[in-house]
Amino acid sequence: MRELAGIAGRYRRQKKAWSPHLQHTKEYITAHLHEADTNEPLLVLGAGLCLDLPLDALNAHPGGALLVDAVIPRRTSRLLRQYENIDLECADLTGFLETFTRAEDPFGLTPPDIAPIPLAGYGMAISCNVLSQLALPFAASPPLNDAETDLTSRIQKAHVRALMAMGCPALLITDYQRTERQGDHEHVFTSVDRDLLPGQPLETWQWHVAPNGEAGRDREISLSVGAWLLGK
C-alpha cells in the first residue's frame, strides 16, 4: 500500500511526463480487445490505481471484466463503482506471499513454477505493467544478491508461463529495463530479463517515470516498456 501511495504522489507531480506511457498502454489494450471472446470476461492482472487501463473500453466488453491485484486501493474501489460491467478482486498474483512471509528462511523456498492465474473461463488476459513489480515484496529492485536475483527470475517466469498456458489470447505489457542518468553518468538495470519474455515485442516505448528533479538533483529515470500478444 505504501508503494501505491508513492505511485499516486509521483503521478500527481508528473502527469505530463507520464501521459504518453499511460495513453500508449490504454491504446494498445483497446486496439487488441477485438481478439477477445465476447462471451467471456476479460481478466486484467495488475489493476493498481487504474491509471493505465482503458476503463470505458473494458466496461464495454460484452462479457465484462475482472480486475485483479494484491492490493486494492480505496481510490480504485471508488473509481470502479461507476463501471457496472467491471468487477474487482484482491488476490496474490504470485501464489507465494503467505508462504514467504511465514517462513524462517524464505530464500530457501521455491515459488510456484506457474503463477496461480485461472487458465480458462476468460476471453482475454491482460497483464498490465505488473510483471516487474511482482517480486518487490520479496526482493529489492534491482536485486541485492544472487538469492534475490534467482527469486525475482522465478516469480517473473511463473507469471509469463501462466499467460502462455492460458486458453485465450493474452496481452503482456511490462517494463524490462531501467535507465538512470545523473549528469554525464548513465546506469542501465534489467527489470525483467529479456530471456524470460516471449520473443520480440510488437511495440516498445519509453516511460519517463522520474524526470529531472523528481528522484534527485540532475537525476532522471526512464523505463523501456514492451508489449506482447500471446496465444494468437
Side-chain angles (χ1 to χ4, degrees):
M1 186 62 77
R2 191 182 316 130
E3 176 154 353
L4 283 172
I7 291 173
R10 181 169 285 182
Y11 169 68
R12 286 193 296 269
R13 294 187 299 272
Q14 302 296 342
K15 276 187 179 182
K16 184 176 180 180
W18 284 28
S19 179
H21 160 70
L22 300 179
Q23 187 61 30
H24 203 138
T25 302
K26 292 176 182 178
E27 290 176 354
Y28 183 85
I29 293 172
T30 302
H32 288 85
L33 288 181
H34 70 277
E35 304 278 359
D37 184 341
T38 56
N39 295 314
E40 301 284 1
L42 306 169
L43 176 64
V44 181
L45 307 169
L49 296 167
C50 295
L51 299 174
D52 47 8
L53 296 178
L55 294 176
D56 289 336
L58 298 179
N59 191 61
H61 179 70
L66 174 64
L67 276 55
V68 183
D69 213 331
V71 177
I72 306 297
R74 281 179 291 182
R75 176 192 183 279
T76 298
S77 297
R78 290 194 300 267
L79 175 64
L80 293 180
R81 287 173 190 160
Q82 62 186 293
Y83 296 97
E84 296 181 354
N85 217 20
I86 298 178
D87 293 321
L88 192 60
E89 180 180 309
C90 184
D92 171 21
L93 298 178
T94 68
F96 191 55
L97 188 56
E98 184 176 355
T99 301
F100 184 89
T101 302
R102 292 184 175 183
E104 292 184 7
D105 179 20
F107 287 100
L109 301 173
T110 302
D113 287 334
I114 186 167
I117 297 169
L119 302 182
Y122 291 92
M124 171 177 278
I126 303 169
S127 176
C128 188
N129 291 311
V130 71
L131 180 59
S132 67
Q133 310 298 304
L134 290 174
L136 289 182
F138 318 106
S141 179
L144 299 177
N145 50 50
D146 290 344
E148 289 193 357
T149 298
D150 181 66
L151 184 55
T152 296
S153 177
R154 287 175 181 271
I155 288 171
Q156 293 175 348
K157 184 183 294 186
H159 187 81
V160 175
R161 279 177 175 161
L163 294 178
M164 296 181 72
M166 294 196 72
C168 64
L171 296 180
L172 170 61
I173 302 170
T174 183
D175 65 276
Y176 54 87
Q177 181 174 282
R178 183 169 81 227
T179 303
E180 298 187 6
R181 299 180 181 88
Q182 189 156 17
D184 295 330
H185 301 283
E186 179 176 288
H187 300 279
V188 178
F189 306 92
T190 297
S191 53
V192 177
D193 189 335
R194 287 293 297 267
D195 289 340
L196 302 181
L197 296 169
Q200 294 300 313
L202 296 180
E203 295 184 30
T204 61
W205 62 89
Q206 290 293 307
W207 178 6
H208 299 291
V209 65
N212 189 7
E214 172 65 29
R217 185 177 179 182
D218 295 327
R219 186 184 182 204
E220 301 179 9
I221 302 174
S222 62
L223 303 176
S224 297
V225 180
W228 290 258
L229 175 60
L230 290 67
K232 178 79 168 70

